[in-house]
Amino acid sequence: MSVGLVLEGGGMRGLYTAGVLDAFLDAGIKVDGIVSVSAGALFGVNYVSGQRGRALRYNKKYISYPNYMGLRSWLKTGNVVNRDFTYYEIPMKLDIFDEEAFEEAGVDFYAVATDIETGKPDYLKINNVFDQMEAFRASSALPVAAKIVEYEGKKYLDGGLSDSIPVDFARSLGFDKLIVILTRPLDYRKKPSSGRLYKLLYRKYPKFVEVASKRYLHYNRALEHVIDLEQKEQLFAIRPSQALEIGRLEKNPDKFDEIYNIGLADGREVMNDLKDYLKK
């Protein structure tokens, strides 16, 4: 039996996902493939490498560093989340990511990014995290807050703009069972947006502007799709038991603990039901 896992993004709400995944590690839950978006990709790799607590640890330790994330980085480099320090120095030197364990796990790992010339999602297969770090940047490059990321000859921004909850792609991979970790509670729906900022800043990419401006429609439809499949027992969804009061680019480490612990508790709370689902 093969098990797939879908990880929604959401900036620092992704620490909720990190908590749930650490509950998976504690319980010995294993999967065969992961399709992830943005922060879901950045934090999800630690589950594959078995590095419990790493996402929470490095965020708490380095969030106060001026070259980690913030206005200074944005003004200096065009990226709120600093490319060199955050994506390269931390995982390669300061809090080293276990690339060997990631590869030995044998988990098919995908990061979703939005091709801004087509407006469509690309599902980037990750074989080596260090070698493909630009794919992670592409998946998590928020409009305005980040420069367009060029990767393998294409131009990308945040994958959540074109496929926030990539359930259908995950299903196309043929898993027998599918788990989805969301970062919004059951009653959440995204509100309409005019898309004026996208039209102003990305007018050279009309297909991207179109999909990004209608993201609220695609996102809300995706949520309803998850609920429908959940009711049919075609997937198992884990979502926050309460609204996550944290900013997408939050810098308060106390908030990091709070959101992570909600995820850890929710993961433990649903563990018996999850195991029953996987056994059926």
Side-chain angles (χ1 to χ4, degrees):
M1 180 185 71
S2 61
V3 180
L5 175 63
V6 173
L7 304 177
E8 183 184 5
M12 285 304 184
R13 290 198 315 274
L15 287 170
Y16 172 85
T17 301
V20 175
L21 292 176
D22 281 354
F24 280 23
L25 288 175
D26 293 343
I29 299 296
K30 296 184 178 181
V31 302
D32 300 282
I34 297 176
V35 184
S36 58
V37 185
S38 192
L42 295 174
F43 298 161
V45 291
N46 300 298
Y47 164 63
V48 181
S49 64
Q51 291 175 279
R52 190 188 191 284
R54 181 175 178 270
L56 178 64
R57 180 178 65 243
Y58 75 72
N59 274 289
K60 288 179 64 178
K61 183 172 183 178
Y62 296 110
I63 193 62
S64 62
Y65 282 46
N67 56 344
Y68 181 74
M69 178 177 76
L71 180 61
R72 176 177 172 178
S73 176
W74 186 58
L75 293 175
K76 187 176 180 180
T77 70
N79 296 300
V80 170
V81 180
N82 189 274
R83 175 189 182 274
D84 294 340
F85 183 75
T86 307
Y87 287 92
Y88 288 89
E89 190 168 350
I90 289 177
M92 296 182 184
K93 297 180 181 179
L94 301 177
D95 194 323
I96 298 174
F97 176 72
D98 193 340
E99 175 64 35
E100 183 178 357
F102 176 85
E103 294 183 25
E104 288 180 351
V107 175
D108 291 334
F109 194 99
Y110 295 85
V112 185
T114 301
D115 182 331
I116 65 170
E117 294 184 319
T118 66
K120 295 181 179 180
D122 277 357
Y123 305 92
L124 309 175
K125 178 76 178 296
I126 306 298
N127 299 306
N128 184 298
V129 173
F130 290 157
D131 290 347
Q132 296 175 270
M133 193 60 74
E134 291 303 288
F136 289 91
R137 288 213 315 123
S139 182
S140 58
L142 293 172
V144 185
K147 288 183 175 180
I148 295 168
V149 176
E150 295 193 18
Y151 178 72
E152 295 188 341
K154 294 186 177 183
K155 297 178 180 180
Y156 289 111
L157 284 171
D158 190 340
L161 294 163
S162 56
D163 197 355
S164 298
I165 311 171
V167 166
D168 285 340
F169 177 76
R171 295 180 78 206
S172 75
L173 298 175
F175 298 113
D176 299 306
K177 297 286 183 175
L178 190 61
I179 307 166
V180 180
I181 302 178
L182 304 172
T183 59
R184 296 286 196 182
L186 181 60
D187 61 353
Y188 176 83
R189 295 296 182 275
K190 195 172 286 294
K191 295 179 180 179
S193 170
S194 67
R196 283 194 295 267
L197 193 59
Y198 296 127
K199 295 172 185 175
L200 176 65
L201 297 178
Y202 301 102
R203 55 187 178 276
K204 289 173 57 179
Y205 308 101
K207 292 181 180 179
F208 170 76
V209 170
E210 182 180 3
V211 72
S213 299
K214 295 180 180 178
R215 187 195 176 194
Y216 73 97
L217 285 174
H218 305 314
Y219 184 80
N220 292 341
R221 287 171 184 163
L223 289 177
E224 296 298 336
H225 187 40
V226 168
I227 291 171
D228 179 59
L229 293 174
E230 187 179 16
Q231 291 173 343
K232 294 175 180 176
E233 297 188 349
Q234 293 180 17
L235 61 77
F236 188 95
I238 301 172
R239 49 177 67 84
S241 54
Q242 62 191 80
L244 303 179
E245 302 296 336
I246 188 170
R248 181 180 285 272
L249 298 173
E250 182 69 56
K251 300 192 72 173
N252 181 353
D254 291 336
K255 282 287 185 180
F256 298 171
D257 277 321
E258 176 186 337
I259 300 307
Y260 170 86
N261 285 328
I262 293 172
L264 187 63
D266 285 356
R268 290 170 174 169
E269 179 69 23
V270 303
M271 192 56 63
N272 288 336
D273 290 339
L274 174 59
K275 289 180 176 180
D276 288 343
Y277 165 76
L278 295 175
K279 289 177 182 177
K280 289 182 181 178

